[in-house]
Amino acid sequence: MGRKWGDRKDGTKLRNIDSMHTIMPLMYPNRCDNEAFIAERIDITNINSYLKKKNSDNPEYPYNLFQVILTSLLKVITLRPKMNRFIANQTMYQRNEVSAAFTVKKIFSDDGGEALAFIHSKPEDNIDSIHDEIFRQVSLCRSDQKDQSTASMDMIQKLPGPILKFVGWAARGLDRRGKMPQSIIATDPYYASVVITNLGSIKLHSGYHHLTNWGTNSVFCAIGEVKKRRFDNEDGTFEMCDSVDLGLTIDERIADGYYYSKTIKLLKHILENPDLLDGPISEKVVY
């Protein structure tokens, strides 16, 4: 079926939603004013065993926790499609694809540059195909070649100040209407289903990260540092387990609390049972 009047190139206008979700974008038009933050602690004991098995053949690019979390998020958003909605220009849309974006540090130094990586997933993808695509993107980001969005920003940066401000004003108008040139936003993380930042890789705790009014991103995930932490059992005993904290910031207008609760439950179930990632991300999960 082709695009209808009101659809965007990156999303289909939702025409049969309940009145509350129709009215909310009109009453609360800014994404940053509608953030909900959820913090979750994940026992990664099973993930450690899973990664040990995946890396037993000594692949050139080892499987790691970041890849497991990214693939899990792609699977959750595929299976929970309301998480792939976005609001732009006071209208709610269903995104046409499931995608993830993250920033790659070229060199771990104060002066090291950054590049943007963007994963376009397909229903048949699994941990192996996502692993290979992350390897390709990271290799590209750490080369001298620039991603499309960075190259476009470098060109715009050279414009005189007054013209630069006009370009910014025009870009915000085009952004609201879904008319931004693809060459400029091709690797813009804020046009992805989920943006992921791996704070643990630079020895930081996870925590709140804001959304933006620019773009279409409705879900942001911050990954913290891996540490041994206390997990209490129902009988009053406790265990010290390797764990990671996740901070999830969500646009609360795209779904209700019950939907979010089931979504987080699914995410935890997948992370605690990472073998589920060996199958297609579109494969149903009983939880």
Side-chain angles (χ1 to χ4, degrees):
M1 183 182 294
R3 280 167 57 181
K4 297 180 180 179
W5 178 261
D7 292 346
R8 295 167 41 122
K9 61 185 177 183
D10 55 356
T12 302
K13 180 180 178 179
L14 293 170
R15 296 172 171 84
N16 296 310
I17 54 177
D18 61 82
S19 58
M20 184 179 73
H21 285 95
T22 301
I23 297 299
M24 280 189 73
L26 303 176
M27 302 300 293
Y28 310 104
N30 296 317
R31 192 175 297 118
C32 287
D33 295 337
N34 291 277
E35 297 172 340
F37 178 71
I38 303 170
E40 286 294 331
R41 177 162 293 173
I42 307 296
D43 179 349
I44 63 168
T45 302
N46 291 344
I47 292 179
N48 288 339
S49 299
Y50 178 75
L51 291 174
K52 184 177 180 180
K53 180 178 67 175
K54 297 293 285 187
N55 290 320
S56 60
D57 293 332
N58 297 312
E60 177 185 359
Y61 182 59
Y63 289 76
N64 57 43
L65 176 64
F66 177 78
Q67 297 161 23
V68 169
I69 294 174
L70 186 148
T71 308
S72 298
L73 287 165
L74 289 173
K75 186 174 181 69
V76 167
I77 293 171
T78 299
L79 297 178
R80 304 285 292 167
K82 288 185 182 180
M83 301 305 297
N84 206 24
R85 292 177 172 181
F86 65 88
I87 293 170
N89 207 24
Q90 300 181 328
T91 305
M92 189 177 294
Y93 297 88
Q94 185 71 42
R95 196 184 308 274
N96 292 338
E97 67 167 5
V98 178
S99 55
F102 55 96
T103 302
V104 178
K105 189 79 169 171
K106 288 180 177 284
I107 301 173
F108 284 106
S109 72
D110 287 351
D111 300 322
E114 293 181 332
L116 304 170
F118 205 106
I119 307 294
H120 302 271
S121 74
K122 301 178 291 295
E124 63 270 21
D125 276 330
N126 65 3
I127 184 70
D128 299 316
S129 60
I130 297 297
H131 160 274
D132 293 346
E133 179 61 14
I134 291 174
F135 174 58
R136 186 187 73 80
Q137 297 243 3
V138 169
S139 300
L140 180 67
C141 288
R142 288 185 173 156
S143 70
D144 293 331
Q145 184 175 342
K146 292 184 178 180
D147 62 86
Q148 282 185 268
S149 294
T150 299
S152 297
M153 288 188 290
D154 287 349
M155 291 179 60
I156 295 170
Q157 183 187 31
K158 298 174 183 177
L159 297 172
I163 297 177
L164 193 60
K165 290 181 180 179
F166 172 78
V167 169
W169 172 82
R172 290 192 296 274
L174 292 172
D175 168 66
R176 285 194 302 273
R177 296 164 178 80
K179 303 293 186 181
M180 279 295 293
Q182 188 60 30
S183 60
I184 296 177
I185 62 170
T187 53
D188 186 333
Y190 291 106
Y191 278 86
S193 304
V194 57
V195 181
I196 306 169
T197 181
N198 188 8
L199 298 179
S201 67
I202 51 176
K203 307 300 181 184
L204 289 177
H205 299 300
S206 81
Y208 159 78
H209 190 291
H210 62 87
L211 300 177
T212 67
N213 293 326
W214 170 270
T216 61
N217 171 251
S218 299
V219 182
F220 199 109
C221 178
I223 304 170
E225 188 177 8
V226 172
K227 284 188 174 182
K228 281 198 178 293
R229 297 180 175 93
R230 172 174 169 153
F231 285 80
D232 294 321
N233 299 316
E234 291 184 2
D235 62 1
T237 61
F238 69 90
E239 301 174 60
M240 298 298 293
C241 303
D242 285 336
S243 65
V244 67
D245 287 341
L246 302 180
L248 295 153
T249 307
I250 299 168
D251 183 346
E252 68 172 356
R253 299 171 298 170
I254 61 174
D256 58 44
Y258 179 75
Y259 196 90
Y260 290 142
S261 175
K262 288 192 67 176
T263 299
I264 296 301
K265 185 177 181 181
L266 173 60
L267 177 61
K268 290 187 69 174
H269 179 78
I270 292 172
L271 290 171
E272 291 169 356
N273 299 274
D275 287 340
L276 293 168
L277 301 176
D278 288 332
I281 61 173
S282 58
E283 188 172 77
K284 300 292 185 184
V285 174
V286 178
Y287 65 103

